[in-house]
Amino acid sequence: MAVVQDRLSETELRMDERDWSRLVFLSLLWGGTFFFTGVALKELPPLTLVCIRLSLATLILLPVLWANRIPFPRGIAGWWPFAVMALINNVMPFSLIVMGQTYIPSGTAAVVNATTPVFTVLVAAAFGEERLILRRVAGVLLGLCGVFILKGFEFDIGSKQTVGVLFCLGATTCFGFSALWARRKLAGAPPIGAATFQLASGALMMIVLASVFDRPWQLQMPGMVTWLAVLGLAALSTALAFILFFQIIERSGASNVMLVTLLVPVSAILLGYFFLGERIEAREIVGALVIASALLVMDGRVFRLFVRSGAA
């Protein structure tokens, strides 16, 4: 069994040029998530924002689904995998990240989100999907050090920064479980179908939550800038991004697609700096570099390049 798992891990580490280009493009789309959210939160409460995001993304993808003649799932058994995926990959993490961004800047939230591969590896190891080998353990510990550096070594549990970081860490944990669920339950599903069905399920859940807690019909109508941010969040950072997400999972595996979070903070921090007026502190840069180093250690590609160079 261990031999099979080793071969599976090696297979998942292989990505061709097209997959890498998809991964870079996905990082830009998801980096924009934190920017668009930072803009929209000025006029919309968190749950309402997530509700609109998922609902609009679903409406955008439905014509694409019909054009590709992909049938809807049948019955509870057909919808169940997508509903669970929506809960752990959309509803819970999106809500946690948005609530976290009410306490911390968008760039900081993106850097915390970069720990997603750490939790993906831990979840995969806990459920027997991958062996927890030495470089993965080292990467996990290094990644946690990066989060502490990012936090500024402040241990005030009641501080706003701590609350925001904890919200975002909760979201990354959800993403770790969603990668495992996608691998086990959504394998073979068309990327457009998987994206549409999970977003539709998530939209229904968020309509209920937003109605109960935010009562959006009582809110003041947002301005044009907010609506443009919401549209970008729904069309680019959600609808298009999740099509790419499932394409990469289908071609290269769940572990590889989560490496996208290594690239997301760069675009998110720069967008926040140039358009939202957010400051970039030295510890955020150091924390981001430490987390990036952790992901490179966990990934193992750098070590193999050194080995090949030495052999050559």
Side-chain angles (χ1 to χ4, degrees), residues 62-83:
L62 281 176
V64 182
L65 186 76
W66 290 327
N68 285 271
R69 299 181 179 180
I70 298 174
F72 284 87
R74 294 184 179 180
I76 295 178
W79 278 99
W80 174 251
F82 300 105

Side-chain angles (χ1 to χ4, degrees), residues 218-304:
Q218 296 180 352
L219 300 175
Q220 185 176 358
M221 181 62 68
M224 180 60 67
V225 173
T226 298
W227 280 117
L228 289 175
V230 171
L231 183 60
L233 186 63
L236 301 177
S237 300
T238 309
L240 180 57
F242 273 109
I243 292 176
L244 286 175
F245 174 80
F246 284 107
Q247 283 180 343
I248 297 172
I249 282 185
E250 185 179 47
R251 290 173 54 87
S252 303
S255 296
N256 273 330
V257 76
M258 288 310 177
L259 292 176
V260 68
T261 52
L262 171 63
L263 305 171
V264 166
V266 178
S267 55
I269 289 175
L270 291 177
L271 286 169
Y273 175 77
F274 286 111
F275 295 100
L276 299 180
E278 298 176 349
R279 294 177 56 189
I280 300 178
E281 299 184 10
R283 62 176 174 78
E284 292 179 341
I285 298 174
V286 173
L289 290 175
V290 172
I291 292 172
S293 300
L295 299 180
L296 291 174
V297 169
M298 291 164 57
D299 180 39
R301 289 182 176 89
V302 173
F303 298 114
R304 288 198 296 277

Side-chain angles (χ1 to χ4, degrees), residues 38-298:
V39 173
L41 278 176
K42 295 178 180 179
E43 292 190 292
L44 290 173
L47 296 181
T48 298
L49 175 57
V50 176
C51 178
I52 298 174
R53 173 186 182 179
L54 297 182
S55 300
L56 284 180
T58 302
L59 294 176
I60 292 170
L61 285 180
L62 281 176
V64 182
L65 186 76
W66 290 327
N68 285 271
R69 299 181 179 180
I70 298 174
F72 284 87
R74 294 184 179 180
I76 295 178
W79 278 99
W80 174 251
F82 300 105
V84 174
M85 187 66 177
L87 181 65
I88 60 179
N89 199 41
N90 298 152
V91 174
M92 294 175 61
F94 287 1
S95 299
L96 288 170
I97 289 174
V98 171
M99 288 189 287
Q101 280 193 245
T102 63
Y103 296 95
I104 57 178
S106 60
T108 305
V111 174
V112 177
N113 187 64
T115 62
T116 295
V118 174
F119 293 97
T120 303
V121 167
L122 291 176
V123 170
F127 286 86
E129 290 288 324
E130 295 180 5
R131 293 193 305 126
L132 198 59
I133 57 180
L134 179 60
R135 64 176 169 80
R136 293 186 182 277
V137 174
V140 167
L141 296 177
L142 191 59
L144 293 177
C145 288
V147 174
F148 282 118
I149 293 173
L150 169 70
K151 191 178 176 301
F153 300 102
E154 298 176 4
F155 292 95
D156 181 8
I157 297 177
S159 71
K160 289 185 176 181
Q161 187 191 48
T162 301
V163 174
V165 168
L166 288 176
F167 273 134
C168 291
L169 284 176
T172 62
T173 305
C174 292
F175 286 137
F177 281 99
S178 71
L180 176 68
W181 185 263
R183 177 189 296 176
R184 288 188 171 185
K185 302 296 183 180
L186 301 183
I192 295 176
T196 306
F197 302 145
Q198 71 148 345
L199 290 172
S201 301
L204 292 175
M205 298 179 198
M206 288 308 307
I207 287 172
V208 175
L209 290 174
S211 298
V212 171
F213 293 102
D214 287 348
R215 298 183 179 182
W217 56 86
Q218 296 180 352
L219 300 175
Q220 185 176 358
M221 181 62 68
M224 180 60 67
V225 173
T226 298
W227 280 117
L228 289 175
V230 171
L231 183 60
L233 186 63
L236 301 177
S237 300
T238 309
L240 180 57
F242 273 109
I243 292 176
L244 286 175
F245 174 80
F246 284 107
Q247 283 180 343
I248 297 172
I249 282 185
E250 185 179 47
R251 290 173 54 87
S252 303
S255 296
N256 273 330
V257 76
M258 288 310 177
L259 292 176
V260 68
T261 52
L262 171 63
L263 305 171
V264 166
V266 178
S267 55
I269 289 175
L270 291 177
L271 286 169
Y273 175 77
F274 286 111
F275 295 100
L276 299 180
E278 298 176 349
R279 294 177 56 189
I280 300 178
E281 299 184 10
R283 62 176 174 78
E284 292 179 341
I285 298 174
V286 173
L289 290 175
V290 172
I291 292 172
S293 300
L295 299 180
L296 291 174
V297 169
M298 291 164 57

